[in-house]
Every structure is written in structure tokens, then in C-alpha cells.
Amino acid sequence: MKTVHNELKARMDKTIEALKYEFTTIRAGRANAQMLDKVRVDYYGTPTPVNQVGAISVPEPRTLMITPWDKSAMAEIEKAIRNSDLGLNPTNDGNVIRISVPALTEERRKELAKKAHKVSEEFKVRIRNERRDANDKFKKMEKEGEITADELKKAQDDVQKATDKYVKEIDVLLVAKEQDIMAV
């Protein structure tokens, strides 16, 4: 029984970490290198993450700089960033690609807040799926006589408490991200 609870907690912790990472890819008003994590460059016919074709740095709070390792990939990097849903316009000086991160409009802030809300809902579903899987394991254990009906009830109550705790943590992370997005 203990191992099922430990596995559940570990999987839910991983889900929270994945959500935190996902939130870093949703841009707020400042530049950060994770903004480009989902951008894929067509590098010799293979979709490759930007951070694998060049070094990304943040020289100023509203500027990203990409120094490609292969100068012949500059046009593809530029194209990939332009075509992404980030709303960024890169400039190429022949050696590096600079991306000025404009201040967000009110409308864009609301769009990003909606996106953050949608992402948080997807992660809540993942948490609930973990709850279902754990409860199924406990029901199977009871069916096979490994635990009693009372132990099953207690185990399910513990699983629900863990689920509530993690869903609440997602809500806290969402509020923080929304505040970050809406801050001018």
C-alpha cells in the first residue's frame, strides 16, 4: 500500500514540475531563454530545438540573443521564430540574431492568461488521472485480498487528499503566473 502512495506522490510531483516548466515557456513581459524552448528549427531536414543550434542569452531584460553554432542556419532560426506563436520579430546582423521582446498589449496579456489557464486545466486532468490509476490499484489489491475494505476506504481517502493538495498547488501556480503576465 505504501509503495502505491509513494508512486502516486512521485508522479504528482513530476506533474507539478512539468507544469512549472510549461509556465516558463509562456512569456510574460520580460525576456527569458525558456520562451524559445518550443520553437523548432528545420536544421538539415530535422526539427531541432533552438537551444541545440545556438547559444541563447539574455543581455538585457527585454532582449534575447541567439549565437548560432552554424552560421548557415541563421535564416532557418529566424524563420522558425517568426512562424512561432510567440509574436516575436528577430533581426539578424550576420553573426547573431537579436530578438526584442516588446511590452505586451492588454489583449495579448489576456490571451496569455487564457493559455496559462488552459495549461493548468490540462495538468489538473493529469493529476486526476493519477488519482484514478492509484484507486484502481487499490481496488485490485482489495479484490485479490491484499487489503481489507476498510483499508481500501482509507487508501482512497488518502489519495483524494493528495489529489486535492496537488490541484490546489496548480491553482496557486496559476495565480502567480497570471499575476506575472498581467503585471505591467
Side-chain angles (χ1 to χ4, degrees):
M1 229 168 77
K2 198 90 166 145
T3 57
V4 175
H5 280 298
N6 290 342
E7 286 173 17
L8 175 69
K9 185 180 178 328
R11 285 198 308 270
M12 286 184 170
D13 283 338
K14 283 182 184 171
T15 302
I16 294 296
E17 288 307 309
L19 174 64
K20 287 177 182 175
Y21 172 77
E22 192 72 27
F23 276 170
T24 64
T25 65
I26 299 174
R27 83 178 184 101
R30 306 174 287 294
N32 75 31
Q34 286 88 7
M35 291 168 55
L36 302 175
D37 280 359
K38 290 188 174 181
V39 177
R40 299 285 183 259
V41 177
D42 184 19
Y43 190 61
Y44 294 106
T46 305
T48 309
V50 173
N51 63 2
Q52 291 182 16
V53 294
I56 302 170
S57 59
V58 186
E60 298 165 23
R62 289 200 179 272
T63 306
L64 285 171
M65 192 166 72
I66 303 169
T67 309
W69 291 304
D70 178 1
K71 301 285 186 225
S72 66
M74 288 185 89
E76 286 297 328
I77 294 171
E78 246 186 303
K79 184 174 141 190
I81 293 167
R82 260 198 200 94
N83 293 341
S84 72
D85 67 347
L86 295 171
L88 299 173
N89 193 17
T91 56
N92 172 350
D93 71 4
N95 292 318
V96 295
I97 296 172
R98 288 188 194 341
I99 305 165
S100 178
V101 179
L104 296 170
T105 63
E106 188 65 26
E107 184 180 322
R108 183 72 175 143
R109 286 179 196 281
K110 287 179 181 171
E111 279 177 33
L112 292 172
K114 273 186 196 171
K115 184 176 179 181
H117 191 74
K118 183 176 176 243
V119 167
S120 74
E121 286 303 318
E122 290 168 8
F123 279 83
K124 285 180 185 178
V125 168
R126 288 187 193 182
I127 293 289
R128 292 183 192 116
N129 287 341
E130 296 296 344
R131 172 187 63 193
R132 184 198 60 228
D133 293 347
N135 282 337
D136 288 349
K137 285 179 185 175
F138 285 126
K139 286 176 188 169
K140 185 178 175 198
M141 289 169 79
E142 187 219 12
K143 199 177 207 178
E144 294 172 356
E146 294 176 38
I147 61 173
T148 65
D150 288 343
E151 289 173 322
L152 171 66
K153 178 74 176 121
K154 181 176 178 351
Q156 288 176 328
D157 288 346
D158 291 344
V159 167
Q160 186 59 47
K161 285 177 189 168
T163 302
D164 293 343
K165 175 185 159 225
Y166 283 96
V167 166
K168 191 173 189 174
E169 189 172 341
I170 288 173
D171 288 336
V172 168
L173 291 170
L174 174 62
V175 167
K177 185 62 181 179
E178 284 178 332
Q179 288 173 343
D180 190 29
I181 290 169
M182 298 311 269
V184 178

